[in-house]
Amino acid sequence: MENIIDTICAKADEASIRQAGQILKRGGLVAFPTETVYGLGADALNEDAAAKIYAAKGRPSDNPLIVHITERKMLDGIVSEVSPQAELLMEKFWPGPMTLIFRKSEQVPYETTGGLDTVAVRMPSHPVARRLIQEAGLPIAAPSANLSGRPSPTSASHVEEDLNGRIDMILDGGDVQIGLESTIIDVTGDAPVILRPGFISREDVEALMGSCTLDPAIVGKPDPNLRPKAPGMKYRHYAPQADMLIVEGDPDFVTRTICAKAAKDLAEGKKVAVLCTEESRAAYGDLSCHTVGTRGNEETIAHNLFRCLREFDEEKVDMIYSESFREGTLGGAIMNRLLKAAGYHVLQQIGGAHGSLS
Ligand code: AMP
Ligand code: MG
């Protein structure tokens, strides 16, 4: 039988951060808040500790971890080279929601990098994350603190739902700010390539670097024959248990289509839910709606998306209909998660304003 650990759940005050630092030094697992989502931390330089992360999350061993640091000095120990473009990006966006891919130094075990010769590194800005890393005095490997495949956790209660009994400690620092994982940028080649979209957008990077491309796997449905650069991209992700369909087109087409489909499902005895915004809520009448935010402020949609996806599981719905959220600088990052959650199941208005998916 699997070992059940007595998980300590504590408010992230000074005393509990010190205790968490000791746990990390001893090779244990601590979940903690960052500005993006909650992370599941372990000593990045200890192969046994890194291996425990994969076991606790049920994560495939070839899906590498992001290493979290608090100062530039810590970077020099874990990477073998830093390109001028990486310097520019770090100067502008660290600390913050940006992860960079470097060639790794010998110090970093392959358990942390999922067998790759590169390592992903981020410097978080969240005060609890920073205090914890300083307290441990180590680079901390920390993927999102959810069971593999589930939506990333944006509050300590989400972490508890997934990992209670599987990890040593959960530091509760309240709700995270951003709610989407970091932007991942590969800076090992000639020009920066975004491997995962996030709060820092392609436009932000282009404004600084002149050019920046998106990895093809972000834009459309992943090709099963292509080996993705960010190995996490190939796995099913964020998926609620119910089937999910994204409906795209003019606002009127979207609400009419969703209402008609939902009425048919309800007549068949299915439990249906809708993911919509404050602007469109009234158009769905009596349907069970989860309002993810407002189109007037796309940051609210990013902030609430993963929480809404978890709520569908709690309510045990059979079918989810969602609006699409391509607009604005965060649209790409939000749709990247939503498309994965829906298994790329999209209905588009014929001749609508929205382009094809790939
Ligand atoms: P998570 O922290 O759960 O959001 O997962 C970390 C993500 O970072 C995974 O999807 C990985 O694919 C990506 N990642 C980590 N290390 C590397 C690397 N060396 N090269 C490319 N992608 C990476
Ligand atoms: Mg994750």
Side-chain angles (χ1 to χ4, degrees):
M1 208 183 85
E2 214 177 324
N3 267 349
I4 308 251
I5 301 172
D6 200 4
T7 303
I8 304 163
C9 302
K11 191 164 161 289
D13 57 19
E14 259 311 296
S16 54
I17 292 174
R18 269 201 299 275
Q19 184 182 8
Q22 293 303 319
I23 292 173
L24 290 173
K25 281 187 197 169
R26 288 200 308 265
L29 300 185
V30 175
F32 60 95
T34 81
E35 68 276 24
T36 58
V37 299
Y38 271 72
L40 177 58
D43 177 354
L45 305 182
N46 173 341
E47 54 191 58
D48 297 329
K52 282 188 200 169
I53 291 183
Y54 291 91
K57 282 179 59 94
R59 183 177 175 109
S61 61
D62 64 347
N63 190 358
L65 311 174
I66 294 174
V67 179
H68 291 63
I69 60 173
T70 48
E71 48 190 333
R72 177 55 205 266
K73 214 168 61 233
M74 290 174 106
L75 182 72
D76 297 330
I78 55 181
V79 306
S80 64
E81 62 184 28
V82 179
S83 64
Q85 45 177 339
E87 294 283 3
L88 269 175
L89 286 164
M90 290 189 292
E91 167 97 358
K92 171 91 179 161
F93 297 114
W94 275 3
M98 177 190 74
T99 296
L100 295 179
I101 308 292
F102 298 91
R103 298 200 188 289
K104 79 174 192 72
S105 75
E106 288 199 350
Q107 257 202 299
V108 182
Y110 283 111
E111 280 72 9
T112 295
T113 66
L116 298 174
D117 289 317
T118 51
V119 61
V121 187
R122 179 164 105 80
M123 188 186 285
S125 62
H126 195 291
V128 173
R130 297 183 65 81
R131 275 290 301 124
L132 177 63
I133 297 165
Q134 282 157 357
E135 194 58 42
L138 295 161
I140 299 297
S144 51
N146 52 285
L147 283 176
S148 195
R150 293 213 73 207
S152 298
T154 57
S155 73
S157 64
H158 296 164
V159 180
E160 239 183 295
E161 247 168 56
D162 281 15
L163 298 178
N164 199 13
R166 304 173 75 98
I167 64 177
D168 298 292
M169 189 169 187
I170 301 170
L171 282 175
D172 185 348
D175 273 10
V176 301
Q177 293 121 328
I178 296 175
L180 296 179
E181 308 89 340
S182 58
T183 307
I184 302 181
I185 309 176
D186 185 350
V187 283
T188 59
D190 294 336
V193 181
I194 295 185
L195 303 185
R196 178 174 72 187
F199 190 78
I200 292 171
S201 67
R202 179 188 190 169
E203 291 78 9
D204 293 333
V205 179
E206 265 175 352
L208 183 74
M209 315 285 295
S211 78
C212 169
T213 52
L214 289 184
D215 190 271
I218 293 174
V219 191
K221 188 170 174 170
D223 178 346
N225 301 315
L226 266 180
R227 191 166 175 269
K229 287 238 196 61
M233 288 171 170
K234 74 181 176 203
Y235 295 109
R236 186 165 175 266
H237 223 128
Y238 316 122
Q241 271 137 32
D243 283 339
M244 183 167 171
L245 176 70
I246 303 169
V247 181
E248 273 193 332
D250 303 334
D252 188 46
F253 168 84
V254 171
T255 50
R256 268 190 297 110
T257 305
I258 290 179
C259 286
K261 286 190 164 289
K264 192 159 165 283
D265 291 339
L266 288 168
E268 288 170 9
K270 289 188 188 156
K271 192 166 176 188
V272 179
V274 179
L275 190 72
C276 66
T277 58
E278 278 172 24
E279 287 86 344
S280 57
R281 168 70 189 85
Y284 297 106
D286 291 341
L287 288 176
S288 163
C289 285
H290 289 237
T291 306
V292 70
T294 156
R295 289 192 187 267
N297 180 357
E298 52 177 354
E299 291 183 17
T300 60
I301 299 172
H303 183 82
N304 294 317
L305 180 66
F306 288 141
R307 178 180 54 74
C308 284
L309 292 176
R310 279 179 179 262
E311 285 168 359
F312 294 129
D313 281 351
E314 277 160 40
E315 291 171 18
K316 300 198 169 31
V317 301
D318 302 303
M319 185 69 210
I320 304 161
Y321 293 103
S322 177
E323 299 180 356
S324 93
F325 306 98
R326 285 190 197 275
E327 306 84 22
T329 50
L330 277 182
I334 294 168
M335 283 309 283
N336 172 262
R337 276 67 173 185
L338 199 63
L339 283 164
K340 285 187 186 177
Y344 298 89
H345 196 191
V346 182
L347 188 155
Q348 278 175 329
Q349 180 178 18
I350 296 170
H354 298 265
S356 85
L357 283 178
S358 50

